[in-house]
């Protein structure tokens, strides 16, 4: 959450005037859409919003689902490099909003440890146990404070990786790189004010205020970016909106975007949705926010949205279905995190979305023993059938019993020491951190999550706490499969700001920040193999970036979140982005992006065998070739399609020994010069059939496959032609 500092109040009136002019500029630009959109006949302004299907009477009732149309779409068909530069709002972080107020003043320093104890701690940090964790393959700088142009603190660093790009977000902007670290949309990226300018009539046009978020939809080969927007400052009356962009293609630079907006709570226009987090699920994009009254900053609850993914991917009018969970339904928790997925099989058809949270009590030092779980069932056809949690208060579906832990705050969250200064950093240690990862490996479904915990209350250090929950069948467990508060053998470092990811083999890694009174804040990561003993990051720790300085700003704000994701090109490579300082300064932060991978020879559990469809007389089946995990697999054989309807069919193929997954192309011609949207190089996981949807009736389509593993990707299979049925 960004808020104007009191030191900036002198320019408030000028800022409002400038912002108003920007908003008017957005209106004129949107109305003159030929200068922005290559297809102006498709473009809309906010005053021409299309509305989704009408909600049934059962919706929009107290305690029931709230149904509202998104503003948009506004069609942006212009290369991001050609957008006019609209400067970000000049803001600085002053205070973050929490479930219960916590004064952001560190406790007085305790007695200094003896020199011998400091020496022992220094030895542990400088000469740690020899790790098995592989070093980074590549690192490069992302956005920095000067490039962001917003004077924002913290940067709110996150990002995601696609087949050809890495897209990073900070509070003011997105910056797009190729996978060698070369910037593709200019040295300063694209500000959210520029990106969302044409969403005229909403605060998204000129009043973007941060908490940016980006992720790659690997199922559809699309990108999603989002931030929130509101005029004026906080405290303030808003109105408060979420701005959302969905790319038209897999190219985030020049492939075009569909732009949308939604008010955080239309029934309570002065409420702001703070700390927004999004995740991919097959039936929707899920968004969660913490609700605070913009005028009083009092906590009002949590709002969870389901956004109509299918319609947004097509650039059509779209509804949201949302629920408010009041404090009565939350207890001491907030900051619900929706689950998303990347590797393994998709969630089974009809599987409800999962949300996780932990308590954030009013006082520090409380030993907590639960992780709360909600299930979100959405029905866009009959919104009244949608549900969240249990009962009218939407209480959790489950309270999972975990080993006791203490949230990383005392009377304050400013706890993390730094080398050479008394200024301490914010732990953000009162919530499950994004992302919550869903993985379906041959029918075994798991959720993976991480947070920061405080050891030895109130002295510290903080540790990375992580969980694996078995949710096979769509139900939460009584206890975790695995859990740990990890501190690398009690080496004295403070570890916080974690983000977790899991590769296709079930190997897990967490990226995070580290610091201590004798080491500068740095970026590290740790992990485990699927074959390691349970409840431990058995591969130890790797160093991504060694900080060269520290932050001296009195707010102590750091990160708000980092991000670890898996490369969809191989489902094996971990990418992490986080904050660091190359030199000491008040608030001139830098960010870093890096990637690493477990060795290809990693032993993996044997997957459950998948039945191979029976070949028809028209398909010639060749003997299944074999490959070792370190070799490029041979091409699979594409088989005759089955289950043809007017809008779908099932593509089938033979399995290849040694392959860990398959990539599917679907085209409207046999030469594959034109692909069905979302079906170019689509990673379908380790299976031998895939249901292709969203097709036209009575039309010929063509499909082919490639097998892949850690050694590379096979040549193309043979091509199969299939015709959809007439309507």
């Amino acid at each position: 959450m960004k808020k104007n500092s009191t030191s900036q109040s002198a320019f408030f009136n000028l800022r409002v005037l400038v912002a108003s002019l920007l908003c008017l500029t957005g209106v004129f630009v949107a109305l003159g859409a030929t200068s922005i959109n290559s297809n102006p006949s498709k473009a809309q302004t906010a005053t021409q919003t299309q509305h989704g299907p009408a909600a049934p009477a059962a919706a929009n009732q107290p305690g029931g689902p709230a149904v509202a149309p998104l503003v948009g779409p506004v069609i942006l068909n212009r290369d991001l490099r050609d957008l006019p530069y609209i400067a970000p709002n000049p803001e600085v972080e002053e205070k973050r909003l929490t479930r219960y107020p916590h004064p952001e003043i560190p406790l007085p320093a305790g007695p200094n440890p003896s020199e011998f104890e400091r020496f022992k701690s220094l030895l542990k940090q400088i000469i740690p146990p020899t790790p098995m964790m592989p070093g980074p393959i590549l690192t490069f700088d992302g956005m920095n404070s000067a490039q962001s142009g917003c004077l924002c603190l913290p940067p709110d660093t996150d990002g995601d990786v696609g087949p050809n790009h890495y897209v990073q977000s900070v509070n003011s902007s997105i910056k797009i790189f190729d996978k060698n670290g070369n910037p593709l949309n200019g040295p300063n990226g694209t500000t959210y004010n520029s990106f969302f300018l044409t969403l005229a009539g909403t605060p998204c046009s000129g009043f973007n205020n941060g908490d940016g978020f980006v992720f790659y939809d690997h199922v559809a080969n699309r990108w999603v970016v989002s931030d929130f927007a509101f005029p004026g400052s906080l405290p303030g009356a808003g109105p408060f909106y979420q701005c959302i962009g969905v790319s038209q293609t897999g190219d985030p630079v020049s492939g075009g975007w569909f732009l949308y907006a939604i008010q955080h709570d239309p029934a309570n226009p002065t409420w702001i949705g703070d700390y927004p987090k999004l995740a991919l699920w097959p039936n929707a994009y899920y968004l969660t926010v913490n609700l605070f009254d913009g005028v009083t900053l009092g906590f009002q609850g949590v709002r969870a949205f389901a956004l109509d993914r299918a319609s947004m991917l097509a650039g059509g009018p779209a509804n949201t279905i949302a629920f408010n969970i009041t404090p009565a339904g939350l207890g001491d928790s907030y900051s619900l995190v929706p689950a998303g997925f990347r590797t393994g099989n998709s969630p089974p058809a009809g599987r409800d979305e999962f949300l996780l949270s932990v308590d954030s009590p009013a006082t520090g030092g409380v030993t907590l023993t639960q992780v709360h779980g909600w299930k979100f069932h959405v029905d866009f056809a009959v919104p009244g059938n949608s549900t969240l949690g249990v009962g009218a208060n939407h209480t959790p579906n489950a309270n999972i019993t975990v080993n006791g832990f203490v949230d990383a705050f005392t009377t304050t969250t400013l706890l993390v020491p730094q080398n050479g200064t008394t200024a301490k950093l914010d732990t953000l240690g009162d919530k499950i951190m994004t992302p919550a990862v869903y993985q379906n490996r041959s029918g075994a479904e798991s959720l993976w999550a991480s947070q920061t915990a405080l050891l030895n209350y109130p002295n510290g250090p903080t540790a990375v706490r992580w969980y694996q929950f078995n949710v096979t069948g769509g139900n939460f467990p009584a206890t975790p499969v695995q859990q740990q508060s990890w501190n690398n053998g009690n080496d004295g470092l403070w570890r916080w700001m974690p983000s977790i990811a899991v590769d296709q083999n079930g190997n897990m890694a967490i990226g995070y920040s580290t610091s201590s009174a004798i080491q500068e804040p740095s970026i590290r990561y740790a992990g485990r193999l699927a074959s390691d003993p349970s409840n431990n990051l058995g591969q130890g720790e790797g160093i991504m970036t060694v900080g060269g300085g520290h932050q001296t700003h009195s707010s102590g704000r750091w990160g708000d979140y980092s991000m670890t994701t898996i490369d969809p090109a191989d489902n094996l490579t971990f990418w992490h982005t986080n904050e660091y300082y190359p030199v000491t300064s008040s608030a001139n932060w830098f960010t870093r992006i890096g990637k690493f991978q477990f060795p290809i020879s990693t032993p993996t559990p044997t997957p459950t065998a998948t039945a191979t469809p029976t070949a028809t007389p028209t398909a010639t089946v060749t003997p299944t070739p074999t490959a070792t995990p370190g070799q490029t697999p041979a091409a699979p054989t594409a088989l005759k399609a089955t289950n043809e309807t007017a809008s779908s069919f099932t593509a089938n193929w033979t399995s290849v020994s040694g392959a860990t997954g398959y990539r599917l192309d679907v085209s409207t011609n046999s030469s594959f010069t034109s692909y069905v949207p979302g079906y170019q190089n689509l990673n379908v996981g380790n299976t031998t059939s895939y249901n292709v949807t969203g097709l036209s009736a009575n039309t010929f389509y063509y499909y082919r496959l490639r097998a892949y593993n850690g050694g590379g990707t096979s040549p193309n299979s043979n091509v199969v032609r299939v015709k959809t049925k007439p309507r």
Side-chain angles (χ1 to χ4, degrees), residues 225-251:
V225 301
S226 182
D227 82 332
F228 60 41
F230 54 90
S233 60
L234 284 178
F240 301 97
Y241 275 70
Q242 195 70 27
C243 318
I244 304 162
V246 178
S247 70
Q248 298 180 35
T249 71
D251 181 356

Side-chain angles (χ1 to χ4, degrees), residues 354-438:
F354 301 98
L355 310 173
L356 296 175
S357 80
V358 292
D359 284 344
S360 177
T363 59
V366 178
T367 299
L368 304 172
T369 59
Q370 291 182 335
V371 172
H372 308 300
W374 282 261
K375 292 195 290 185
F376 193 161
H377 173 76
V378 66
D379 187 335
F380 288 106
V382 186
N385 291 340
S386 301
T387 59
L388 174 64
V390 178
N393 285 336
H394 311 296
T395 56
N397 293 92
N399 297 307
I400 307 168
T401 300
V402 300
N403 294 340
F405 67 93
V406 175
D407 278 343
F409 63 88
T410 54
T411 59
T412 176
T413 59
L414 299 184
L415 301 177
V416 179
Q418 303 179 87
N419 178 48
T421 179
T422 59
K424 295 188 176 182
L425 301 176
D426 184 7
T427 63
L428 212 84
D430 60 350
K431 53 176 57 65
I432 293 286
M433 300 296 288
T434 190
V437 175
Y438 169 92

Side-chain angles (χ1 to χ4, degrees), residues 218-219 280-282 309 341-349 351 438-445 682-687 690:
H218 67 284
V219 178
L280 164 67
W281 206 248
R309 172 177 174 265
F341 69 101
R342 174 65 55 86
T343 61
N345 298 323
S346 297
R351 178 70 74 240
Y438 169 92
Q439 189 177 58
N440 178 0
R441 302 186 68 238
S442 303
E445 301 173 72
L682 174 64
N683 185 356
V684 297
N686 192 7
T687 184
Y690 192 83

Side-chain angles (χ1 to χ4, degrees), residues 143 271 313 329 381 562 626 681:
M143 290 281 284
W271 288 8
L313 288 172
S562 64
T626 60
N681 201 36

Side-chain angles (χ1 to χ4, degrees), residues 447-510:
L447 294 178
W448 300 76
S450 64
Q451 64 178 107
T452 303
L454 181 62
L455 307 180
N456 309 310
Y457 181 88
N459 300 314
T462 50
V464 171
R465 187 173 177 91
W466 61 273
Y467 308 95
Q468 181 188 5
F469 302 115
N470 181 357
V471 291
T472 302
N475 295 311
F476 291 104
T479 58
V481 177
Q482 299 187 77
Q483 59 185 314
Q484 184 190 22
S485 291
W486 190 78
N487 63 0
N488 198 28
N490 194 29
D491 64 3
L493 275 179
W494 293 61
R495 293 172 173 83
W496 84 110
M497 208 61 61
S499 59
I500 193 169
V502 188
D503 74 12
Q504 67 179 13
N505 296 324
N507 307 319
M508 179 270 277
I510 308 175

